[in-house]
């Protein structure tokens, strides 16, 4: 028979069991979240806990802990007489095509823009460098709060060279994607974009504008968009509410 653990070893063993349960709950929450976002639960109602436990080969305690994690994300809630239901919605944003937000989310509702700042500014050194401009050049700066169906979704800060951006001052920036306007002004489709995606903590300004808790994690997308000839024309810093957007794409391994 195995030896009884010593008194000193018992707290360590108990902590390890708690960690394993927490790990299993997190792993199950990841699987359930995917099913929720993919519309895998008809009517937005999750199966009973014992059904989830059987389907995912998990204990009832693990299922409860996983559902608690999803409730903490405000993705699901428990309704008396109904069970666990989906109460939050995340909108899919593809990363395998170069599109404006309204183009990306047109199936999910109407995207509107509140133009908070627009006008020429002296380009900070890194901005001038990324746009291929001489130091101290002026650029057009546009900051927009973007809403989907009236709910704050992203805060976008864009820098554009003045020889192209100046014409945007007379355009409808409240109802039209900048990408569409750039293609109209240049007479050709955009070429490609370099992107970086990371999570950052919302500063006081971003949190207030996005109506998110201060310090909450937001998705930051940095995107440098170029014309077909490779000229950079739009440097953007976009802060998305992470609880309302999910990023996806198709990646192929080069041979």
């Amino acid at each position: 028979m195995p030896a009884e653990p010593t008194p000193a070893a018992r707290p360590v063993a108990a902590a390890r069991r708690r960690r394993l349960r927490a790990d299993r709950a997190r792993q199950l929450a990841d699987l359930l979240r995917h099913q929720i976002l993919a519309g895998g639960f008809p009517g937005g109602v999750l199966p009973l806990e014992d059904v989830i436990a059987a389907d995912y080969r998990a204990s009832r305690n693990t299922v409860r802990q996983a559902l608690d994690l999803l409730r903490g994300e405000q993705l699901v809630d428990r309704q008396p007489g109904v069970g666990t239901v989906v109460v939050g919605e995340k909108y899919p944003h593809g990363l395998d095509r170069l599109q404006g937000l309204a183009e990306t989310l047109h199936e999910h509702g109407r995207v509107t823009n509140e133009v908070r700042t627009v006008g020429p500014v002296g380009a900070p050194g890194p901005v001038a460098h990324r746009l291929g401009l001489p130091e101290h050049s002026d650029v057009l700066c546009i900051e927009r709060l973007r809403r989907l169906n009236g709910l704050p979704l992203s805060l976008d800060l864009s820098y554009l060279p003045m020889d192209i951006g100046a014409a945007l001052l007379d355009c409808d920036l409240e109802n039209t994607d900048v990408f569409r306007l750039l293609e109209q002004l240049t007479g050709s489709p955009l070429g490609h974009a370099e992107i970086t995606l990371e999570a950052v903590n919302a500063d006081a300004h971003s949190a207030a504008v996005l109506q998110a808790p201060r310090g909450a994690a937001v998705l930051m997308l940095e995107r440098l968009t170029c014309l077909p000839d490779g000229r950079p024309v739009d440097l953007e810093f976009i802060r998305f509410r992470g609880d309302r957007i999910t990023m996806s794409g198709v990646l192929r391994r080069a041979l």
Side-chain angles (χ1 to χ4, degrees):
M1 293 181 60
E4 286 289 323
T6 64
R10 286 171 189 152
V12 175
R16 183 174 184 274
R17 286 194 296 271
R18 287 194 296 272
R19 180 181 62 78
L20 290 175
R21 284 198 296 269
D23 286 345
R24 294 189 188 105
R26 169 177 49 79
Q27 293 158 8
L28 177 56
D30 289 344
L31 296 175
L32 292 173
R33 187 186 303 104
H34 173 80
Q35 287 292 95
I36 290 169
L37 298 179
F41 298 117
V45 179
L46 274 66
L48 298 175
E49 290 180 1
D50 57 348
V51 175
I52 295 176
D55 287 347
Y56 290 87
R57 299 182 180 181
S59 69
R60 288 287 294 273
N61 282 339
T62 296
V63 172
R64 293 192 186 102
Q65 289 177 344
L67 294 177
D68 284 344
L69 291 174
L70 296 177
R71 276 194 288 272
E73 297 175 17
Q74 299 182 344
L75 194 57
V76 304
D77 201 1
R78 186 159 187 82
Q79 295 185 358
V82 180
T84 302
V85 300
V86 178
V87 294
E89 185 174 8
K90 289 193 175 187
Y91 301 99
H93 187 296
L95 292 177
D96 44 11
R97 293 189 63 189
L98 183 55
Q99 292 183 310
L101 193 64
E103 295 173 313
T104 301
L105 300 179
H106 72 278
E107 297 179 355
H108 301 280
R110 181 166 180 257
V111 174
T112 56
N113 307 301
E114 175 190 330
V115 180
R116 299 176 56 81
T117 301
V118 59
V121 298
V127 172
H129 175 73
R130 297 291 303 282
L131 290 174
L133 300 173
E135 290 188 19
H136 312 302
S137 297
D138 281 348
V139 292
L140 182 69
C141 176
I142 307 172
E143 183 181 77
R144 296 165 295 160
L145 170 62
R146 314 200 70 185
R147 294 185 174 93
L148 178 61
N149 299 325
L151 294 176
L153 183 62
S154 69
L155 182 63
D156 301 12
L157 181 64
S158 302
Y159 297 99
L160 303 100
M162 283 303 298
D163 63 320
I164 293 177
L168 294 176
L169 292 170
D170 298 321
C171 294
D172 183 6
L173 293 169
E174 292 187 353
N175 298 293
T176 314
D177 276 337
V178 167
F179 279 2
R180 187 179 294 273
L181 295 173
L182 287 174
E183 290 180 333
Q184 291 173 357
L185 292 172
T186 62
S188 67
L190 295 170
H192 70 278
E194 302 169 9
I195 64 170
T196 301
L197 181 65
E198 61 181 320
V200 299
N201 292 331
D203 58 276
H205 168 69
S206 300
V209 173
L210 291 171
Q211 298 176 18
R214 183 173 180 175
V218 295
L219 287 177
M220 161 82 108
L221 178 68
E222 179 182 331
R223 181 168 60 192
L224 179 65
T225 302
C226 302
L227 296 175
D229 62 6
R231 181 193 174 187
V233 291
D234 186 5
L235 176 62
E236 301 170 273
F237 299 89
I238 308 173
R239 285 171 167 81
F240 288 98
R241 278 193 55 151
D243 58 343
R244 293 181 179 163
I245 201 80
T246 178
M247 300 287 181
S248 62
V250 177
L251 303 179
R252 293 180 173 83
R253 188 175 176 87
L255 298 179

